[in-house]
Amino acid sequence: MSGSSHDIEADIVVVGTGAAGLTTAILAHDNGAKVVLAERTDKVGGTSAVSGGGLWVPLNSHLDEVGASDSRDEALAYCKALTMGRVEDSLLETFIDTAAGMVAYLEEHTPLKFGATSAPDYQTETVGAKLGGRTIEPVPFELSELGASRERLRSPSSLAFPVTLQEVYNEFQAFYQPWKIPSDLLVDRMSRDVVCLGQALVAPLLKAVEERGIPILLNTRVRKLLRDGERVVGVVAARDGELLNLSAKVAVVLATGGFEWNEALKSRFLPYPVTHPNSPPYGEGDGLLMAMEVGADLANMAEVWNYPSIAVPGETYEGRPLSRGIKAERSGPHVIWVNKRGQRFVNEAANYNSIGKAFASPETSEPGYRNLPAWGVLDSQYREKYVLGTSMPDDPLPAWVKRADSLAELARLIDVDPQGLEETVERWNSFCTNGVDRDFGRGDSAFDRYQGDHQAPHVNLGAIEKAPFFAFPIVTGALGTKGGPRTNDNAQVLNVRGEAIEGLYAVGNVAASLSGPSYFGAGSTLGPGMTWGYIAGIHAATRVQERNW
């Protein structure tokens, strides 16, 4: 790399172009600051662009679209119950009091618009939970509105049909039978270049940034914070083989994502191996390391946004292995998950974040993890009805799926205890007969049932009895990590004494998550991330005005 450097000056430098970073830039600009965005890759959107695009936002203005209601007391009680004392009450209160305003502001001042979903909170039996309405999603967006800049938008990591979350779950049950999505709907939206989900979130935010003339420096990897005494005053980045100094008159906002692709950091902090991240392969902890270098306090470092996944051999994204979060293959009838003992170990239909924690359970008699490796076991009834990974019922059986005419033979193929598997399936089948999972309560909660096949006799339960039988490997996936620098109510990074590090903010997955060990509901990454981006943009811009005065 050349030793030469160039300088760019701004009031605020935002590092990262996911939804949290873009929101920060928009609010900082609208409150009078000169802003520059720096993006490590050649595309805008980060993990947000490949996500489902939903935001978990209590008290949002779209609740009545699905006949839901909410209150501050209920939202706070729910969040406090799920965070189990590991997140300051003031942060939860700030989020609940601000999130709906963030959404309203973006809808009024940018092309981004939202609609309600019927998605229930992830812990529906907990005090303050709601059976729908708190998760909102972007409405479909026509990429033609971006013009040439559409080439800068990050593409989905796998084939994404232009359908909304509400359509997928409520109208078409597309996670089970994607062929039920009406072809005329797909043809119409594809012909108009319509996107949904994460791209429909990022694209209008990108348009809003461009309308404001906010520069986006692509292929610009920020690696070091610049300081004047204890105050952060800019960053050093690498771009096109040269060093670039980005001077920040008032603030640097880290929005760089997590560290799920950094093997050294994962082995240092995570309680079990996360082998197949679901995010673009750039979450290597750049922001975390920079914050640590200037004395940031850390929190929540052992937590990830768990998402048990399927990895189809040979599939890649940006040159790294691609993984797909498991949906029908955990919530639907005629499938269970087992460990090497052939035993079930979790309510497979529970929310993916909670399920993932089961992989951290240690062996007590030897080094290792009790529930790794893990396998999904299903019968021909499942195979004849539903999608399996990327394989449709009429497709040839993929090489990564094992097939056998008996459970004992299947167990030997996957190195699972045959007797344990046979006994587990026999017990499971008795539960299905009686309609109650007495081991793990699968199907007991409203969330489980929402995720199940609504056309089946029991949405979550179905016997495993029709040969041949099948098994597929489950890999440990994650949407991202949840640990990072602690921040205050203004999104300022705190040092180990609990004092704000002057000039440094963090938003999104780079910061310690507001949800602590839990997951409030669909969109619990993006809702808080964008809310803190909104807060950071306003607060940092206010400091600009103070300095100018």
Side-chain angles (χ1 to χ4, degrees):
M1 181 179 294
S2 169
S4 64
S5 64
H6 301 279
D7 294 323
I8 294 177
E9 294 184 351
D11 295 323
I12 298 168
V13 174
V14 180
V15 187
T17 62
L22 295 173
T23 301
T24 303
I26 290 166
L27 268 296
H29 172 276
D30 290 3
N31 283 274
K34 178 183 178 182
V35 185
V36 170
L37 278 155
E39 165 58 43
R40 170 180 171 173
T41 74
D42 65 344
K43 302 293 182 184
V44 171
T47 302
S48 303
V50 305
S51 73
L55 279 66
W56 194 80
V57 178
L59 304 168
N60 70 77
S61 62
H62 296 276
L63 284 157
D64 59 355
E65 295 172 13
V66 289
S69 62
D70 202 359
S71 74
R72 185 182 191 274
D73 287 346
E74 289 173 307
L76 184 58
Y78 179 71
C79 291
K80 289 178 69 172
L82 264 64
T83 52
M84 298 185 287
R86 288 171 53 180
V87 176
E88 295 92 334
D89 287 355
S90 65
L91 295 178
L92 298 175
E93 291 173 0
T94 296
F95 167 63
I96 292 167
D97 292 340
T98 309
M102 174 272 295
V103 170
Y105 184 91
L106 292 177
E107 289 194 301
E108 182 177 354
H109 297 279
T110 79
L112 179 59
K113 301 295 181 287
F114 292 97
T117 79
S118 302
D121 292 341
Y122 281 0
Q123 302 285 347
T124 48
E125 279 60 57
T126 300
V127 59
K130 292 294 178 177
L131 297 180
R134 283 178 175 159
T135 296
I136 59 176
E137 66 172 324
V139 302
F141 184 82
E142 293 190 20
L143 287 185
S144 59
E145 294 190 35
L146 277 179
S149 292
R150 59 176 296 165
E151 300 302 322
R152 300 208 286 176
L153 178 67
R154 177 164 292 282
S155 299
S157 52
S158 57
L159 177 62
F161 293 123
V163 289
T164 67
L165 292 173
Q166 183 73 355
E167 291 168 340
V168 164
Y169 280 105
N170 289 77
E171 297 184 32
F172 309 134
Q173 289 269 281
F175 284 140
Y176 289 93
Q177 298 169 324
W179 53 87
K180 288 188 174 180
I181 301 174
S183 58
D184 57 345
L185 175 68
L186 295 179
V187 169
D188 173 65
R189 288 182 179 171
M190 288 179 176
S191 67
R192 293 186 291 114
D193 216 2
V194 169
V195 292
C196 298
L197 310 178
Q199 283 197 303
L201 176 67
V202 172
L205 290 175
L206 172 58
K207 183 179 180 183
V209 164
E210 293 185 334
E211 289 174 341
R212 288 161 171 78
I214 301 171
I216 302 176
L217 307 179
L218 299 178
N219 296 307
T220 303
R221 186 175 185 180
V222 174
R223 300 299 293 269
K224 185 177 180 60
L225 296 172
L226 295 173
R227 287 191 291 175
D228 180 3
E230 296 300 311
R231 189 167 73 87
V232 173
V233 295
V235 301
V236 179
R239 187 186 193 199
D240 298 330
E242 294 187 335
L243 295 179
L244 181 67
N245 292 330
L246 302 180
S247 173
K249 181 178 178 182
V250 166
V252 171
V253 182
L254 299 175
T256 54
F259 58 91
E260 64 273 12
W261 287 96
N262 187 313
E263 297 303 320
L265 291 174
K266 286 193 295 182
S267 66
R268 197 174 305 161
F269 292 114
L270 300 187
Y272 75 98
V274 175
T275 58
H276 289 74
N278 310 116
S279 60
Y282 304 104
E284 295 184 292
D286 289 358
L288 169 64
L289 292 171
M290 287 187 281
M292 291 170 68
E293 285 179 329
V294 298
D297 194 14
L298 305 180
N300 222 42
M301 293 299 293
E303 297 288 345
V304 301
W305 302 102
N306 293 295
Y307 209 138
S309 299
I310 290 173
V312 177
E315 283 194 331
T316 61
Y317 179 70
E318 296 280 332
R320 302 292 289 273
L322 170 67
S323 61
R324 302 168 180 271
I326 296 175
K327 300 176 179 68
E329 302 91 344
R330 65 182 175 85
S331 300
H334 311 296
V335 59
I336 59 173
W337 291 7
V338 300
N339 57 24
K340 59 192 172 186
R341 294 173 174 81
Q343 299 170 341
R344 290 178 68 217
F345 56 90
V346 75
N347 169 10
E348 300 92 342
N351 73 82
Y352 38 82
N353 186 64
S354 294
I355 292 173
K357 291 178 181 293
F359 296 126
S361 179
E363 282 283 12
T364 56
S365 58
E366 60 183 349
Y369 301 90
R370 183 176 180 85
N371 301 318
L372 289 175
W375 293 82
V377 173
L378 54 131
D379 74 350
S380 291
Q381 295 176 92
Y382 181 101
R383 179 71 180 135
E384 291 165 0
K385 293 179 183 177
Y386 307 126
V387 66
L388 176 57
T390 57
S391 178
M392 305 300 165
D394 293 334
D395 290 342
L397 190 69
W400 50 273
V401 179
K402 302 299 182 181
R403 176 191 183 280
D405 291 327
S406 70
L407 290 170
E409 180 186 356
L410 185 69
R412 286 187 285 271
L413 287 176
I414 61 176
D415 196 23
V416 162
D417 179 62
Q419 181 178 349
L421 181 60
E422 289 179 327
E423 290 175 352
T424 293
V425 170
E426 181 179 5
R427 183 171 176 81
W428 168 254
N429 289 347
S430 72
F431 294 160
C432 295
T433 298
N434 295 316
V436 179
D437 173 12
R438 297 195 179 279
D439 285 341
F440 297 102
R442 177 166 157 186
D444 289 353
S445 80
F447 176 80
D448 292 4
R449 296 190 293 274
Y450 179 80
Q451 298 266 87
D453 176 10
H454 300 166
Q455 305 304 314
H458 190 295
V459 295
N460 302 115
L461 308 183
I464 298 173
E465 57 189 358
K466 182 178 180 181
F469 303 99
F470 306 90
F472 64 91
I474 298 165
V475 299
T476 51
L479 303 175
T481 53
K482 300 175 68 176
R486 289 181 57 229
T487 55
N488 63 15
D489 293 353
N490 298 317
Q492 294 170 290
V493 173
L494 302 176
N495 65 22
V496 294
R497 301 289 184 184
E499 303 160 337
I501 297 175
E502 188 66 25
L504 186 62
Y505 298 72
V507 299
N509 279 356
V510 69
S513 172
L514 178 81
S515 67
S518 301
Y519 210 130
F520 303 135
S524 291
T525 56
L526 291 167
M530 291 173 65
T531 299
W532 250 257
Y534 174 89
I535 290 170
I538 295 172
H539 189 265
T542 300
R543 305 300 288 273
V544 172
Q545 302 306 321
E546 291 173 354
R547 289 179 65 86
N548 288 340
W549 182 263

